[in-house]
Amino acid sequence: MKVIEVLAPGLLTTVQDLGREGFGPMGVSPSGAADPVALRIGNRLVGNAAIAAALEMTLLGGTFLFPEGALAALTGSDFGAALDGADRLPWASFEVKPGQTLRLGATRSGARCYLCLQGGIAVKPFLGSASTHLLSGLGGYQGRALRKGDVLKTGDSDGGPNRTLGTNRCKKVTPKILEGLRPRKILRVTPGPQRGWFSQAAEKVFYGGTYGVSEEANRMGLRLHGPPVPEGAHGGMISEGVSLGAVQIAADGMPIILSVEQQTTGGYAKMANVISADFGSLGQLRPRDEIRFRRVTFETARKLLMEQEKLLTAKDSIVETI
Amino acid sequence: MPAKKSAGARFEPASDQSLLVYFGEQITLEANENVRRLLHLLEQEPIPGVDNLHPAYCSLLVKFAALKWRHQELERQLRKYLGRLNNVRLPEPRLVEIPVCYGREFGPDLDEVAAMHGITPERVIELHTSATYLVYFLGFVPGFAYLGELARELVTPRLLSPRRKVPAGSVGIAGNQTGVYPFETPGGWRLLGRSPLAMFRTDRDGLCLLSIGDRVRFVPVSRERFAEFERA
């Protein structure tokens, strides 16, 4: 167990793991890392299990002091990290010596950066998960985003094969894998449950249009702006369960994509749903990004997810750095 | 009310990892009872690779591991469950009383709702507290129970423009539904009062004050009693 002191929290830094499934009947959404791909790779880089908790930073990273050192990895977007002034690139693990400070800045790419530490971030689990659920103030570190002065602890690492000390334990992701996992601005979607409610003209607008991510983009959802999608002819929508990545069409014709801390039910018609393989990309979108939607079949979505899973788990996707 | 044969259920893929089961296209007690029966059965006899369930008025969203199930295969599996719904014994519904302090800053829309229906605020409170409501489901945010049905005289459209912040504990109405906001969230329901009870809390079993299928009555309390509850 090691200690991490939060010298500066950044814009919105929370403890996240892969979320808590199974509490839909209570209205509790899974929460968890908005970019689960980055979290899983980060955990691999420091020898953690995929479900270990890490810090998710948003747009502007924090500054952290490690009085006892750590084995750390940064994944996701490049927040211009520096360890005692020396650059640290994302998608690699590195040793932090006792007393060193890791400082992150503003993003140079997407919305989120993950700081994974060997042993994971240790917090009291809530409903079986370390993930922070911001709206309800539950889970994670005291149910909230980190503040200056907070002190975190890492878990008793079952760090597996990476526990030995020395430079050979530092690893990086191969460029080929990184290319395969690169966040996309063209989101692949499958048809939503109310697709039949929308006219062909409405589909043309939706699939032909370019949409900007508005400032209302957070862990609950992302409101887009762009060409309004004509209202479905049907009307009379009854609230029903909604999926992660659901693309709802609001009354003003603007799409809203649901993210990890989503509402569990909703009353807007869904035109489409982002495919599972693009959830990581969804988590990296930030205000003013421009995106488009491309329709794929359920079979294609499945194939793409299998390919991604292969990249995420392949033994040769991570190599040691000398 | 006996649940009808499952023949009426309709399946619709919602995403590459979820499938919607619809019991009709209207909010009826019968459709909701079927939702509760299927939910109960799936909780008693979970299907491996089914990760989560989102019940609603007349549908159940079934979330599954995308690499383990295809929609058609899961539908076949779920149809076996549907064939058994008539034999499902639902748990005895609990009757939960929720204290509410009506009006003034706790219920900023009470007077307007009364005016819209040409009745007194006292009559609104009387109507709201005289019905026994069914918890159709919990959704939207943790612990938010969709309660119905409201007395006909109280059916009111939601606010044209939702409030950016509705305080936790606020008791609102919208259409023929009523409910209590567990957390401070944005919301478009018209607010009649506020309850001092925590609708979702972590220091007890069950977490939510209410569960799907429970019955609910609202009990008017004074400001003094409200304060006592809050202190307790």
Side-chain angles (χ1 to χ4, degrees):
Chain A
M1 194 177 74
K2 287 171 177 167
V3 163
I4 309 112
E5 290 179 32
V6 180
L7 302 184
L11 191 62
L12 180 82
T13 301
T14 56
V15 177
Q16 300 294 344
D17 60 14
L18 290 177
R20 54 181 70 77
E21 285 288 2
F23 302 97
M26 300 196 304
V28 180
S29 53
S31 194
D35 180 351
V37 169
L39 177 72
R40 285 175 63 184
I41 293 271
N43 274 329
R44 275 193 70 188
L45 285 167
V46 294
N48 289 342
I51 55 167
L55 295 185
E56 177 182 279
M57 293 173 274
T58 319
L59 298 175
L60 177 70
T63 303
F64 308 95
L65 172 67
F66 297 82
E68 301 159 69
L71 179 69
L74 292 164
T75 55
S77 292
D78 183 356
F79 279 31
L83 182 67
D84 276 359
D87 288 351
R88 284 291 175 272
L89 291 175
W91 303 103
S93 57
F94 51 92
E95 194 183 349
V96 181
K97 295 206 167 68
Q100 284 193 309
T101 299
L102 181 68
R103 186 188 302 271
L104 295 104
T107 180
R108 297 167 178 179
S109 47
R112 291 181 177 90
C113 172
Y114 293 84
L115 172 59
C116 296
L117 300 167
Q118 189 170 68
I121 302 288
V123 293
K124 190 170 160 242
F126 165 66
L127 298 179
S129 158
S131 285
T132 314
H133 193 278
L134 285 170
L135 179 109
S136 60
L138 296 166
Y141 184 85
Q142 299 180 8
R144 59 166 171 81
L146 298 185
R147 296 179 194 147
K148 185 180 172 176
D150 286 345
V151 177
L152 301 163
K153 291 183 178 112
T154 60
D156 287 320
S157 160
D158 61 337
N162 291 356
R163 285 193 87 175
T164 52
L165 294 170
T167 51
N168 65 341
R169 62 182 187 164
C170 293
K171 301 184 170 191
K172 66 172 189 181
V173 182
T174 61
K176 183 178 151 248
I177 302 293
L178 269 189
E179 184 54 34
L181 296 176
R182 206 151 59 99
R184 305 167 52 87
K185 293 283 159 55
I186 299 176
L187 297 178
R188 279 95 43 116
V189 297
T190 49
Q194 283 81 39
R195 64 192 175 283
W197 293 18
F198 295 93
S199 64
Q200 276 190 342
E203 288 199 345
K204 221 170 156 178
V205 170
F206 178 74
Y207 289 105
T210 298
Y211 289 90
V213 178
S214 77
E215 297 295 328
E216 289 176 76
N218 53 38
R219 289 177 45 82
M220 295 176 72
L222 299 89
R223 185 180 284 274
L224 309 181
H225 50 69
V229 179
E231 205 177 337
H234 196 290
M237 176 77 195
I238 299 170
S239 284
E240 63 185 28
V242 285
S243 306
L244 175 59
V247 186
Q248 310 178 128
I249 305 299
D252 58 2
M254 292 304 147
I256 299 169
I257 312 179
L258 295 180
S259 188
V260 283
E261 213 184 284
Q262 62 168 83
Q263 54 192 73
T264 57
T265 56
Y268 289 128
K270 277 84 66 188
M271 165 73 98
N273 205 104
V274 176
I275 67 170
S276 299
D278 285 354
F279 286 166
S281 301
L282 185 60
Q284 288 298 346
L285 292 180
R286 55 172 170 152
R288 291 188 292 282
D289 274 346
E290 295 205 322
I291 62 168
R292 297 171 67 86
F293 296 101
R294 178 180 298 156
R295 186 168 16 187
V296 298
T297 64
F298 287 107
E299 213 39 54
T300 301
R302 186 188 172 91
K303 211 183 84 213
L304 290 167
L305 185 62
M306 279 165 81
E307 284 169 10
Q308 185 182 75
E309 203 58 31
K310 258 187 217 154
L311 292 181
L312 276 167
T313 51
K315 283 215 164 56
D316 61 358
S317 60
I318 284 175
V319 295
E320 293 196 349
T321 52
I322 305 300
Chain B
M1 175 185 314
K4 265 233 183 89
K5 273 267 182 207
S6 66
R10 182 169 69 82
F11 288 79
E12 194 74 61
S15 73
D16 62 7
Q17 55 169 358
S18 60
L19 179 61
L20 270 161
V21 188
Y22 292 100
F23 295 97
E25 315 295 324
Q26 300 182 54
I27 302 173
T28 63
L29 288 174
E30 186 187 293
N32 187 253
E33 189 165 318
N34 277 323
V35 170
R36 286 182 277 131
R37 281 167 187 263
L38 180 57
L39 173 68
H40 187 71
L41 197 53
L42 285 167
E43 285 176 338
Q44 297 295 307
E45 300 173 31
I47 298 177
V50 166
D51 300 329
N52 215 335
L53 301 162
H54 295 213
Y57 284 113
C58 49
S59 64
L60 182 69
L61 181 84
V62 181
K63 184 176 177 187
F64 55 89
L67 295 180
K68 282 192 193 144
W69 287 101
R70 285 186 165 83
H71 295 95
Q72 302 87 325
E73 294 158 358
L74 185 59
E75 177 178 334
R76 269 200 296 280
Q77 185 70 20
L78 284 168
R79 284 205 181 273
K80 292 182 197 160
Y81 279 66
L82 293 180
R84 297 166 53 202
L85 289 195
N86 283 330
N87 304 323
V88 173
R89 268 183 68 108
L90 286 171
E92 276 301 307
R94 297 179 308 160
L95 178 65
V96 182
E97 292 195 338
I98 296 181
V100 181
C101 185
Y102 287 91
R104 303 213 330 234
E105 78 272 20
F106 288 162
D109 301 323
L110 176 64
D111 291 346
E112 196 187 330
V113 168
M116 286 169 84
H117 295 287
I119 55 180
T120 62
E122 291 70 30
R123 178 68 183 148
V124 172
I125 298 169
E126 196 182 311
L127 285 166
H128 193 249
T129 54
S130 58
T132 302
Y133 302 101
L134 166 68
V135 178
Y136 278 92
F137 64 102
L138 279 75
F140 176 48
V141 298
F144 189 99
Y146 286 78
L147 306 172
E149 294 184 5
L150 218 49
R152 199 176 294 266
E153 301 101 299
L154 279 187
V155 173
T156 316
R158 64 188 66 210
L159 295 170
L160 277 177
S161 166
R163 290 186 171 89
R164 296 194 83 84
K165 278 184 180 178
V166 174
S170 294
V171 178
I173 60 172
N176 60 7
Q177 319 159 91
T178 180
V180 187
Y181 285 84
F183 301 99
E184 182 184 281
T185 51
W189 292 25
R190 293 181 196 264
L191 308 181
L192 304 183
R194 197 177 301 170
S195 173
L197 294 191
M199 304 303 290
F200 188 90
R201 54 190 184 192
T202 51
D203 56 347
R204 51 194 277 283
D205 292 340
L207 294 165
C208 299
L209 184 66
L210 302 174
S211 295
I212 187 168
D214 283 345
R215 304 298 195 274
V216 173
R217 285 184 78 95
F218 291 108
V219 181
V221 294
S222 64
R223 245 137 241 282
E224 293 71 35
R225 190 87 185 85
F226 182 94
E228 280 169 31
F229 266 109
E230 283 214 311
R231 276 196 298 273

